[in-house]
């Protein structure tokens, strides 16, 4: 007999554990359990069947893997959490006794310190793994670096985030690792490439942030605590990999005066500083700065020994190369095998025609890294200094000036400095009459400026003025763009995301409309817009006419109204009698007979004799008309009606032409019928219409040969493509209308 399995010992009931069970097993509070899961990277899991995973009748909402909870049972942080809980109880006891000083001393000296170093090493075995997970860390730290200090966000946390972010930006500036940037509604996106890994993060705009109460800063602070430790490890590895001292020198006075990036001084390590016997060359060692004099003396004493050892290694390498050259035979000419230093490898063409083509390396990245190197840029006060300075320095510009009120560390604070080649402004040029009256320049000075504040009120000759978008577009394009398109007050080109590539059939703002519109699209859109405009103006004119007619009718009614009483007018009645007497009697009957004859005309209502046939005596006496003659008469009447309709259409078209001429628009094109091509349809339009009809017919024929499932899938694809085409068409129409209005203006 097989052994009976006990319920809940295998399957999903064993693999999953609820959050309440995990808390009871770890013996910690819910808040500590959340912090521990964030630090260790453990997240809730969703079982296939909640009913099987839950061991109780009450449905659980959150499940975890049992192995994950078993893994953190021996975590050192659990001991720190328990020590913190014990300390909290002691402090509560002292506060209950009103021993406030003793409670403060206990909190200051006995508070346990959490160290997350071992968790960083566990979660990221290699440095590349840490770089791959750096996107969220940088976005969160840059966010907290721009937040104001509150009770939920301590001042130390904000200061630490600012310093780590500035250290990371300094590394990007030194190594020229920044690649792209984009201005969006959320903030500024940056992308850098470090050791082959693309890192993308978001930096918010430097506005005044208001901290609301609907955000749980406790969970966010836990993430920030982990990310600060991670970025500290990454910065240390990045700085030491290029031979820089970490942490870099930090000037507190410059930082308080708004120096930001200029508050850091990067220093390289001395020769042999990586040995165990060498003391640290710079930076903080155990909280105290080492003395540079002792470091210099120790390195000077060891330098001769190191130089001698290095020369021995060089001589040994030279001897080995000479022996290898003698054994290989005569050397080839130096001109053939000589490769210039810094040259890149070029892959030969593939042997087979079907082989893959290897991408050829290029020096575009190195050329773009020194994009702004030869320039001296001045940032006006209205421009965002922090992102512009970071972008300019990351792409080679080392001479950046700004006003003294914007902060410390500027190359120049004089806006009239002749060294400045480019000035970034973000305000339209004011007319001369709008400027205040100031002292004019001397005879030798060609530029008038305000002598009271030293700032120029006119453009400096020889200087290029651009808007901030020029910096971003040049960075994304990898080359210098035309500065005249970004002048002060100019309408800027569209700022597009560098990570979204235009696809076929979609709207591309960088291309002209002629290159991306369909055949005959411009003519159709122009006809629709013209007809809509003319109809709108005609409707407005007719509505105005109706309003005027209604107003005149109201005035006449007011004139006829005499206090609610009808007064007979003798003159009017006499004129009416005379008019009736002058009317001829065409039927030979007098007035009495004319009054008795009923009116046989149909005025839209039903008479008393509805449904009754009235015999016509004259119809019997008249001879019958043959059928073919009757049909010819009917056709002639229809032709007359068609001629009248054409005459009415001609009158309407002539009226629209007059209205279009009065409005300054070209005459509208004649309407074409929905069926066959009319006389006014061109051969190209007819060919296009027939080709479209053939395509639709061929598509319907192919759909009939498909299965139901494939037909539904094809319908979905056609619907999505049609929707995208409609969106692109709407954008092209909007752009065409804007360009037309701009040309008319």
């Amino acid at each position: 007999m097989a052994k009976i399995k006990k319920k809940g010992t295998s399957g999903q009931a064993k693999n999953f554990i609820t959050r309440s069970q995990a808390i009871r097993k770890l013996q910690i509070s819910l808040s500590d359990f959340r912090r521990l899961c964030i630090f260790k990277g453990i997240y809730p899991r969703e079982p296939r069947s909640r009913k099987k995973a839950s061991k109780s009748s009450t449905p659980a909402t959150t499940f975890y893997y049992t192995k994950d909870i078993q893994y953190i049972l021996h975590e050192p942080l659990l001991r720190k959490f328990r020590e913190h809980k014990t300390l909290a109880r002691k402090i509560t006891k002292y506060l209950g006794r009103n021993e406030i000083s003793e409670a403060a001393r206990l909190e200051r000296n006995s508070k346990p310190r959490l160290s997350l170093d071992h968790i960083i090493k566990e979660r990221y075995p290699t440095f590349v793994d840490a770089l791959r997970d750096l996107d969220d860390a940088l976005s969160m730290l840059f966010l907290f670096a721009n937040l104001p200090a509150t009770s939920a966000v301590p001042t130390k946390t904000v200061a630490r985030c600012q310093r780590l972010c500035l250290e990371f930006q300094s590394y990007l500036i030194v190594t020229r690792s920044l690649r792209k940037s984009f201005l969006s509604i959320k903030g500024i996106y940056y992308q850098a490439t470090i050791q082959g890994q693309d890192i993308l993060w978001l930096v918010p705009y430097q506005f005044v942030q208001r901290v609301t109460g609907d955000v749980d800063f406790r969970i966010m602070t836990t993430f920030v605590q982990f990310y600060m430790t991670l970025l500290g490890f990454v910065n240390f590895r990045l700085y030491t990999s290029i031979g820089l001292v970490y942490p870099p020198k930090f000037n507190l006075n410059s930082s308080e005066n708004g120096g930001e990036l200029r508050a850091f001084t990067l220093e390289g390590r001395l020769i042999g500083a990586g040995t165990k016997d060498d003391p640290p060359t710079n930076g903080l060692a155990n909280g105290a700065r080492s003395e540079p004099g002792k470091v210099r003396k120790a390195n000077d004493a060891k330098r001769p020994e190191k130089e001698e050892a290095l020369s021995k290694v060089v001589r040994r390498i030279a001897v080995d190369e000479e022996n290898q050259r003698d054994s290989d035979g005569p050397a080839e000419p130096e001109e053939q095998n000589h490769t210039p230093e810094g040259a890149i490898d070029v892959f030969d063409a593939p042997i087979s025609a079907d082989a893959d083509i290897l991408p050829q390396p290029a020096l575009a990245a190195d050329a773009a890294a020194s994009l702004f190197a030869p320039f001296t840029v001045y940032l006006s006060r209205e421009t965002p200094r922090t992102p512009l300075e970071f972008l300019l320095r990351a792409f080679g510009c080392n001479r950046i000036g700004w006003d003294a009120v914007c902060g410390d560390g500027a190359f120049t604070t004089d806006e009239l400095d002749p060294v400045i080649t480019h000035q970034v402004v973000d305000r339209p040029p004011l007319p001369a009459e709008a400027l205040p009256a100031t002292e004019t320049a001397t005879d030798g000075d060609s530029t008038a400026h305000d002598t009271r504040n030293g700032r120029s009120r006119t453009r400096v000759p020889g200087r290029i003025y651009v808007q901030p978008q020029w910096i971003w577009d040049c960075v994304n394009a990898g080359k210098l763009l035309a500065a005249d398109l970004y002048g002060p007050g100019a309408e800027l080109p569209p700022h597009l995301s560098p990570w979204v590539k235009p696809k076929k059939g979609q709207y591309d703002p960088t291309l002209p409309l002629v290159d991306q519109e369909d055949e005959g699209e411009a003519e159709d859109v122009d006809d629709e817009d013209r007809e809509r405009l003319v109809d709108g103006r005609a409707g407005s004119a007719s509505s105005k006419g109706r309003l005027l007619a209604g107003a005149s009718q109201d005035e006449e009614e007011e004139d006829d109204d005499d206090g609610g009483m009808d007064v007979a007018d003798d003159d009017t009645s006499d004129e009416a009698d005379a008019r009736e007497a002058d009317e001829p009697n065409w039927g030979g009957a007098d007035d009495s007979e004319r009054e008795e004859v009923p009116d046989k005309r149909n005025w839209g209502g039903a008479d008393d004799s509805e449904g009754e046939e009235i015999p016509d005596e004259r119809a019997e006496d008249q001879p019958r008309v043959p059928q073919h003659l009757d049909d010819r008469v009917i056709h002639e009447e229809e032709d007359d009606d068609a001629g009248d309709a054409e005459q009415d259409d001609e009158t309407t078209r002539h009226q629209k032409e007059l209205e279009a001429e009065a409005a300054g628009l070209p005459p509208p094109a004649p309407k074409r019928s929905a069926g066959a091509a009319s006389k006014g349809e061109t051969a190209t339009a007819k060919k296009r219409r027939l080709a479209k009809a053939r395509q639709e017919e061929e598509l319907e024929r192919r759909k009939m040969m498909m299965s139901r499932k494939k037909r539904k899938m094809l319908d979905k694809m056609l619907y999505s493509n049609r929707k995208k085409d409609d969106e692109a068409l709407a954008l092209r129409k909007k752009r065409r209308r804007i360009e037309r209005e701009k040309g008319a203006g």
Side-chain angles (χ1 to χ4, degrees):
M1 183 176 178
K3 186 178 179 181
I4 301 175
K5 288 185 178 181
K6 189 178 180 181
K7 185 179 180 180
T9 57
S10 63
Q12 297 190 37
K14 183 180 179 181
N15 296 335
F16 292 93
I17 185 174
T18 62
R19 187 178 65 180
S20 302
Q21 294 172 354
I23 291 174
R24 285 197 301 267
K25 193 170 187 178
L26 297 174
Q27 297 181 2
I28 55 178
S29 62
L30 179 59
S31 59
D32 292 341
F33 177 73
R34 287 173 177 169
R35 294 181 64 193
L36 187 60
C37 290
I38 292 173
F39 290 152
K40 299 292 289 186
I42 297 175
Y43 303 98
R45 308 293 179 175
E46 184 66 24
R48 293 182 179 178
S49 176
R50 285 177 167 268
K51 185 177 180 181
K52 294 181 179 180
S54 181
K55 299 178 182 179
S56 61
S57 60
T58 305
T61 56
T62 308
F63 292 91
Y64 293 88
Y65 281 146
T66 306
K67 290 185 178 180
D68 291 343
I69 303 303
Q70 198 74 20
Y71 170 68
I72 63 177
L73 270 175
H74 305 286
E75 175 60 37
L77 289 179
L78 286 174
R79 186 175 68 253
K80 296 292 183 181
F81 290 158
R82 296 187 179 109
E83 292 177 1
H84 189 276
K85 186 177 181 180
T86 303
L87 178 64
R89 289 178 179 175
K90 291 181 180 180
I91 293 175
T92 304
K93 183 177 65 175
Y94 282 118
L95 291 176
R97 295 176 182 177
N98 204 14
E99 298 178 3
I100 300 177
S101 60
E102 189 67 19
R105 183 192 62 79
L106 192 63
E107 183 181 7
R108 183 173 57 254
N109 299 331
S110 303
K111 187 176 182 180
R113 306 291 180 182
L114 295 179
S115 177
L116 305 178
D117 298 349
H118 65 285
I119 296 181
I120 299 295
K121 296 177 182 178
E122 289 176 2
R123 292 185 60 176
Y124 307 107
T126 61
F127 184 61
V128 177
D129 295 334
L131 292 178
R132 290 172 181 169
D133 201 18
L134 205 60
D135 298 353
D136 295 337
L138 288 174
S139 299
M140 183 69 75
L141 293 180
F142 273 98
L143 172 63
F144 270 71
N146 289 276
L147 288 179
T150 59
S151 58
V153 184
T155 307
K156 293 183 179 180
T157 302
V158 176
R160 179 82 188 281
C161 292
Q162 291 176 353
R163 182 162 181 173
L164 288 172
C165 293
L166 291 175
E167 289 174 358
F168 182 74
Q169 288 181 339
S170 300
Y171 169 80
L172 297 179
I173 292 174
V174 172
T175 58
R176 310 287 173 83
S177 301
L178 193 65
R179 292 294 176 262
K180 297 177 182 179
S181 181
F182 175 63
L183 298 168
S184 70
I185 299 176
K186 298 179 181 178
I188 306 176
Y189 284 93
Y190 296 98
Q191 184 185 22
T193 302
I194 301 176
Q195 297 187 7
Q197 300 297 323
D198 292 334
I199 303 172
L200 179 68
W201 71 97
L202 176 64
V203 179
Y205 294 112
Q206 290 186 339
F207 296 138
V208 178
Q209 305 288 344
R210 289 184 295 180
V211 180
T212 59
D214 56 349
V215 180
D216 192 356
F217 280 97
R218 294 177 299 175
I219 297 179
M220 297 182 67
T221 306
T222 305
F223 277 101
V224 167
Q225 186 178 0
F226 174 77
Y227 288 150
M228 285 192 300
T229 308
L230 172 62
L231 189 57
F233 270 85
V234 171
N235 285 346
F236 174 78
R237 179 67 180 271
L238 292 176
Y239 273 68
T240 54
S241 63
I242 60 176
L244 295 179
V245 178
Y246 187 82
K249 275 187 176 181
F250 180 69
N251 190 348
L252 183 60
N253 295 330
S254 178
S255 177
E256 292 177 352
N257 294 330
E260 296 183 355
L261 290 173
R262 283 297 187 180
F264 292 89
T265 304
L266 305 183
E267 296 181 347
R269 294 179 179 273
L270 299 178
I271 299 177
T275 59
K276 296 182 180 179
D277 299 332
D278 290 344
T281 59
N282 195 5
L284 298 176
N286 297 328
R289 187 178 298 277
S290 58
E291 298 181 6
K294 296 182 180 180
V295 175
R296 192 179 300 108
K297 291 180 181 179
N299 286 290
D300 292 343
K302 296 180 181 180
R303 186 170 298 172
E305 301 176 0
K306 296 173 182 176
E307 291 179 355
E308 184 178 357
L310 184 61
S311 61
K312 290 181 180 179
V313 174
V314 172
R315 286 196 298 270
R316 190 185 306 114
I317 293 175
V319 171
D320 294 342
E321 290 180 353
E322 185 176 358
N323 295 335
Q324 184 69 20
R325 192 181 303 109
D326 295 339
S327 61
D328 292 343
E332 297 180 358
E334 185 179 0
E335 297 178 357
Q336 299 179 3
N337 292 336
H338 177 68
T339 302
E341 184 179 357
I344 59 177
D345 298 331
V346 178
F347 300 102
D348 296 333
I351 300 176
S352 175
D354 299 335
D356 296 335
I357 300 176
L358 298 176
Q360 301 294 329
L363 293 174
D366 297 337
S370 57
L371 196 61
F372 305 111
F375 302 147
T376 302
V377 184
Y378 186 87
L379 307 178
S380 300
R381 291 185 300 173
E382 68 275 4
T383 58
R385 173 208 152 188
T386 301
L388 286 175
E389 180 188 5
F390 174 52
L391 278 178
L392 291 172
R393 293 193 189 282
F395 285 87
C397 183
N398 295 322
R399 300 180 299 275
I400 307 173
W402 54 78
D403 198 281
V405 299
C406 297
D408 192 14
F411 174 76
T412 178
T413 57
D414 185 12
E415 188 177 356
L416 301 176
D417 195 334
V419 184
I420 299 173
T421 59
H422 292 71
Q423 183 170 350
V424 183
V425 296
D426 198 12
R427 61 179 62 177
L430 297 176
E433 57 271 9
L435 296 174
T438 56
E439 299 181 9
T440 56
T442 58
D443 297 338
D445 190 4
S446 61
T447 304
H449 65 278
D450 192 348
T451 57
R452 293 173 295 181
N453 53 16
R455 282 188 286 271
S456 172
R457 66 189 191 108
T458 58
R459 292 192 180 186
V460 178
R463 183 180 300 180
I464 300 176
Y465 290 82
V466 293
Q467 298 188 39
Q469 185 180 330
W470 180 75
I471 306 294
W472 271 272
D473 289 352
C474 290
V475 166
N476 295 333
K479 60 181 180 180
L480 295 176
L481 302 178
D484 54 347
L485 301 177
Y486 300 85
E491 185 176 352
L492 298 175
H495 181 61
L496 306 177
S497 173
W499 301 287
V500 178
K501 302 301 180 183
K503 298 180 181 179
K504 183 179 180 181
Q506 293 184 355
Y507 173 70
D508 189 2
T510 59
L511 296 178
L513 288 174
V514 181
D515 298 342
Q516 53 183 331
E517 65 185 5
D518 297 335
E519 186 179 1
E521 178 184 333
E523 292 80 0
D524 298 339
V525 173
D526 291 341
D527 294 343
E528 293 177 2
D529 295 343
R530 189 184 301 107
E531 291 178 2
R532 189 183 302 110
L533 181 59
V534 172
D535 293 342
R537 293 187 178 180
S540 61
S542 61
S543 60
K544 290 181 180 178
R546 286 194 298 269
L547 292 175
L548 294 175
S552 61
Q553 185 176 2
D554 294 340
E555 292 178 358
E556 292 177 359
E557 291 179 357
E558 291 177 359
D559 295 339
D560 294 340
D561 190 6
D562 191 5
M565 296 178 62
D566 295 335
V567 180
D569 192 354
D570 298 338
D571 300 336
T572 307
S573 60
D574 294 341
E575 292 177 0
D577 295 340
R579 195 182 305 112
E580 291 178 359
D582 294 338
E583 289 180 359
N585 187 1
W586 301 102
D590 55 359
D591 297 339
S592 59
E593 294 178 356
R594 201 165 47 241
E595 290 177 358
E596 294 176 358
V597 176
D599 192 0
K600 298 298 182 181
R601 290 175 297 180
N602 187 9
W603 297 102
D607 54 357
D608 299 337
S609 61
E610 184 177 0
E612 298 180 1
E613 296 183 0
I614 302 175
D616 192 357
E617 298 178 355
R618 291 175 296 177
E620 296 178 358
D621 299 337
Q622 294 177 357
R624 295 190 60 182
V625 182
Q627 183 65 27
H628 64 280
L629 296 178
D630 193 8
D631 295 340
R632 184 165 49 177
V633 171
I634 293 174
H635 289 310
E636 290 178 358
E637 292 178 356
E638 291 179 355
D639 294 340
D640 295 339
D641 295 340
D644 296 340
E646 291 179 359
Q647 187 175 2
D648 295 341
D649 295 340
E650 183 69 21
T651 306
T652 306
R653 188 174 62 84
H654 182 65
Q655 180 67 21
K656 290 185 178 182
E657 289 180 357
L658 293 178
E659 293 177 356
E661 184 179 357
L665 298 174
K671 294 184 179 180
R672 300 186 179 96
S673 60
S678 62
K679 298 180 180 179
E681 186 178 13
T682 60
T684 306
K686 181 179 179 181
K687 188 184 299 183
R688 185 170 61 252
R689 181 176 55 81
L690 295 177
K692 186 177 180 181
R694 284 195 298 268
Q695 290 179 359
E696 293 178 355
E697 184 179 356
E698 180 67 17
L699 180 61
E700 291 295 333
R701 187 184 63 81
R702 292 185 178 183
K703 286 173 64 177
M704 288 190 298
M705 305 298 294
M706 295 181 180
S707 62
R708 185 177 181 181
K709 183 178 180 180
K710 292 184 178 180
R711 195 183 304 116
K712 286 185 176 181
M713 186 181 300
L714 179 62
D715 291 338
K716 292 181 180 179
M717 294 171 59
L718 292 176
Y719 173 76
S720 60
N721 293 339
R722 197 180 305 111
K723 189 175 180 181
K724 293 179 181 178
D725 294 341
D726 293 342
E727 292 177 356
L729 179 61
L731 292 174
R732 290 196 295 268
K733 285 183 178 179
K734 183 177 180 181
R735 179 177 174 182
R736 190 178 290 104
R737 184 171 61 255
I738 293 174
E739 291 180 354
R740 188 187 299 113
E741 292 176 356
K742 189 187 302 182

